[in-house]
């Protein structure tokens, strides 16, 4: 393992275990959420082969899920109990494996026979008797203590000698060695040793020598003399120069010491003589209690309440306590108020609240300083409450616009030719006119809800020019839009009460375009609830003629969707129809066309109808009749085509009639052919 680095699972578990041991207060941190629980579930997910790693990693998973309140995975539970049972029953299991297996069984409630625990206890006692390794003593004693906590009768024989064996590994600076052969001492080992000593005291059948307890307390004081601190006052423990394979890093080392000290303090009588500031500074690294604001933006218009939540790092309710607002600072660190105000507590929503109206704060950015105090004295030995907590809030409100005027002046002295008052909260329709020698003047005044002059919010630049001030919130824009759609946008300085546009110096930027300009004013700010964009009216501007080499106005952007819009209407004049002949001539031509048909009818009447070859039998007679009717239908279709139908419709009907005529005509003609053949043979 690389020096100073740990697997994510180990780091997460150490932080969680340390968080349950010490309870300080911190701000700007939110409690553990479902997202964190989901991340833990993904972190301890099974490998592709379905396994969850060795017994130590399995314990880390089940313990982490227990602390975070993650619903237990059935596959993990089954695998964990199976591995734990195998390790407990195996004669080759090490003290470390037995230690983690017993703890897995305790967390998950695995079904293990009492006889198995008796055998495990015997094995661990044998290890304690024969080893001089601190880690083997730690695992063996921890395993015995876990078995005892499950309700089994476990007593450590000759506890004093075991206590002395562990104490013999201690050093004068409060650190411990891992075994009698180790030359280097370790801060991490000190935490392990203290936890092992606490197990000895818990397993002893009689009281440990009080003088030895006092010596260990003195070692703890020496150990705290080696503590280090960051610039923010957070204390931590770190290793000395040890082998890279043994280096644990500040988080792991501090967690080990915290567990060891709290375990030993729980079983030893009396108090530890450790300076309070070191306890508080060390507690900052683990933040079990969280002070936070559900919302950091408040509206003076809506009369929002200041709400504060104080919870544990896992989101559970904090013990009974008081939250006091002791100081309010402005964005420039100026003290607004130092009068302490206690926040009221709402039991239903578990939040502390305070009306912000009595604070007399205006719109803008503020820093609120809180102090926490526990209500129950016994909680002072469990929760560490130290220092003040600062939260940044932002207050918004309605900004009043007064004394708004727009006009035209002739010179810098302010000789005004025309001026008109406007109400920026409503669209106006002022009408102004100016030439290139004049100036457009705009003035207004912004007031906060408390009647103070509204100032733009600023912050130091973080860009390429440190020391400059960035206008990041407040913006005032005046837009002039020419009738040719050419726009000019002017940024009004946030601190200016009066703004002017000198047309003489801007004739080129205006592309010498005279004519009508529409005026629009936009005012906005993060703290301003009534930001607006208003039309002010128009300006008739008279500029000189453009010189030959004057810049041309930029081409206006074409809307790419305009090609899908309605097209321009096309006007077309059709050719006048040619002159037609008189209708008498048309009727005469139609009569001449019908003359052959009339002649046919006359001839038919003179000659008579010849029905001698019409079939006498019924079936052939039906086909012959249908054949003639089909011919008549075709003639009728021709008439309809001439009068009403189009070519395609006519052809469609004709195709059906043609098939019909072929069928019935073939049957009728076949009969006539057979009759003719019979007459010839006869």
């Amino acid at each position: 393992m690389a020096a100073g680095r740990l697997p994510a699972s180990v780091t997460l578990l150490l932080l969680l275990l340390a968080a349950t041991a010490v309870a300080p207060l911190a701000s700007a941190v939110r409690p553990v959420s479902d997202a964190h629980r989901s991340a833990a579930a993904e972190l301890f997910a099974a490998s592709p082969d379905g396994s969850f790693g060795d017994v130590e990693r399995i314990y880390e998973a089940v313990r982490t899920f227990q602390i975070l309140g993650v619903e237990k995975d059935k596959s993990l539970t089954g695998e964990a109990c199976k591995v734990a049972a195998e390790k407990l029953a195996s004669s080759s299991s090490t003290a470390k494996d037995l230690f983690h297996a017993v703890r897995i069984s305790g967390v998950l409630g695995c079904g293990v026979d009492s006889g198995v625990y008796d055998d495990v206890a015997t094995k661990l006692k044998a290890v304690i008797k024969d080893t001089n390794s601190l880690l083997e003593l730690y695992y063996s004693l921890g395993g015995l203590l876990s078995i005892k906590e499950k309700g089994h009768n476990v007593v450590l024989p000759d506890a004093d000698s075991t206590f002395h064996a562990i104490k013999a590994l201690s050093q004068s600076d409060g650190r411990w060695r891992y075994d009698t052969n180790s030359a280097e001492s370790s801060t991490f080992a000190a935490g392990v040793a203290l936890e092992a000593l606490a197990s000895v005291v818990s397993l002893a059948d009689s009281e440990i020598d009080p003088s030895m307890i006092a010596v260990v307390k003195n070692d703890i004081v020496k150990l705290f003399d080696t503590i280090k601190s960051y610039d923010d006052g957070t204390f931590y423990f770190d290793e000395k120069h040890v082998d890279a394979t043994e280096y644990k890093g500040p988080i792991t080392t501090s967690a080990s010491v915290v567990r060891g000290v709290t375990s030993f303090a729980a079983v030893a009588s009396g108090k530890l003589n450790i300076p309070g500031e070191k306890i508080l500074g060390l507690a900052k690294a683990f933040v079990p209690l969280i002070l936070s604001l559900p919302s950091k933006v408040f509206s003076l218009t809506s009369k929002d309440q200041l709400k504060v939540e104080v919870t544990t790092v896992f989101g559970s309710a904090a013990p009974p306590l008081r939250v006091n607002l002791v100081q309010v600072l402005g964005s420039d660190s100026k003290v607004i108020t130092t009068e302490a105000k206690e926040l009221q507590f709402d039991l239903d929503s578990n939040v502390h609240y305070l009306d912000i109206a009595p604070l007399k704060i205006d719109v803008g950015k503020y820093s609120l300083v809180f102090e926490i105090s526990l209500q129950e004295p016994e909680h002072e030995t469990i929760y560490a409450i130290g220092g003040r907590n600062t939260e940044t809030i932002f207050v918004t409100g309605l900004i009043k616009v007064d004394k708004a005027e727009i006009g035209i002046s002739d010179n810098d002295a302010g000789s005004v030719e025309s001026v008109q008052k406007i109400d920026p909260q409503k669209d106006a329709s002022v009408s102004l006119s100016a030439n290139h020698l004049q100036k457009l003047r705009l003035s207004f005044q912004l007031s906060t809800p408390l009647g103070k002059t509204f100032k733009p919010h600023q912050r130091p630049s973080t860009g390429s020019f440190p020391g400059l001030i960035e206008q990041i919130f407040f913006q005032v824009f005046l837009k002039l839009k020419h009738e040719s759609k050419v726009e000019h946008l002017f940024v009004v300085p946030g601190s200016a009460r009066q703004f002017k546009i000198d047309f003489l110096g801007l004739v080129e930027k205006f592309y010498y375009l005279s004519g009508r300009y529409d005026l629009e004013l936009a005012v906005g700010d993060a703290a301003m609830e009534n930001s607006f964009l208003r039309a002010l009216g128009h300006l008739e501007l008279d500029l000189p003629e453009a010189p030959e080499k004057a810049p041309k106005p930029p081409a206006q952007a074409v809307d790419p969707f305009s090609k899908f819009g309605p097209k321009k209407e096309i006007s077309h004049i059709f050719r006048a129809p040619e002159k037609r002949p008189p209708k008498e001539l048309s009727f005469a031509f139609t009569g001449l066309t019908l003359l052959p048909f009339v002649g046919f009818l006359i001839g038919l009447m003179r000659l008579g109808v010849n029905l001698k070859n019409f079939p006498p039998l019924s079936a052939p007679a039906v086909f012959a009749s249908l054949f003639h009717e089909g011919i008549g239908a075709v003639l009728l279709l021709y008439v309809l085509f001439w009068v009403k139908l189009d070519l395609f419709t006519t052809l469609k009907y004709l195709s059906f009639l043609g098939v019909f005529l072929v069928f019935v005509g073939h049957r009728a003609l076949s009969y006539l052919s057979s009759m003719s053949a019979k007459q010839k043979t006869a």
Side-chain angles (χ1 to χ4, degrees), residues 51-82:
S51 65
F52 290 89
D54 58 17
V55 64
E56 181 179 8
R57 178 173 172 80
I58 293 175
Y59 171 72
E60 292 171 357
V62 297
R63 180 63 173 145
T64 301
F65 289 174
Q66 181 190 43
I67 294 174
L68 291 178
V70 178
E71 186 176 351
K72 296 177 182 177
D73 187 345
K74 293 182 179 180
S75 61
L76 173 61
T77 302
E79 176 72 12
C81 286
K82 178 182 176 182

Side-chain angles (χ1 to χ4, degrees), residues 26-31 290-298 305-311 323 325 343 351-354 366-370 389-394:
S27 61
V29 182
R30 297 296 297 169
I290 309 299
L291 183 146
S292 59
L293 303 183
S295 174
K296 295 190 176 183
V297 179
F298 302 92
Q305 288 183 327
L306 171 65
K307 295 182 179 180
V308 175
E309 290 181 349
V310 181
T311 63
V323 179
L325 177 62
L343 278 68
V351 298
H352 301 261
Y353 64 91
L354 178 70
Y366 296 90
S367 296
L368 307 183
V369 183
F370 298 95
N389 301 272
T390 303
E391 294 286 346
T392 301
I393 67 169
F394 200 78

Side-chain angles (χ1 to χ4, degrees), residues 345-385:
F345 181 68
D346 185 357
L347 186 61
D348 294 334
S349 59
N350 198 30
V351 298
H352 301 261
Y353 64 91
L354 178 70
D355 292 332
I356 62 174
L359 299 179
K360 299 300 182 182
I361 58 177
D362 215 336
V363 296
K365 185 178 180 182
Y366 296 90
S367 296
L368 307 183
V369 183
F370 298 95
E371 280 187 353
I372 309 297
S373 60
L374 294 168
Q375 295 183 6
E376 303 295 337
E378 58 268 20
H379 288 155
E380 295 180 0
T381 60
I382 302 175
Y383 300 95
I385 306 298

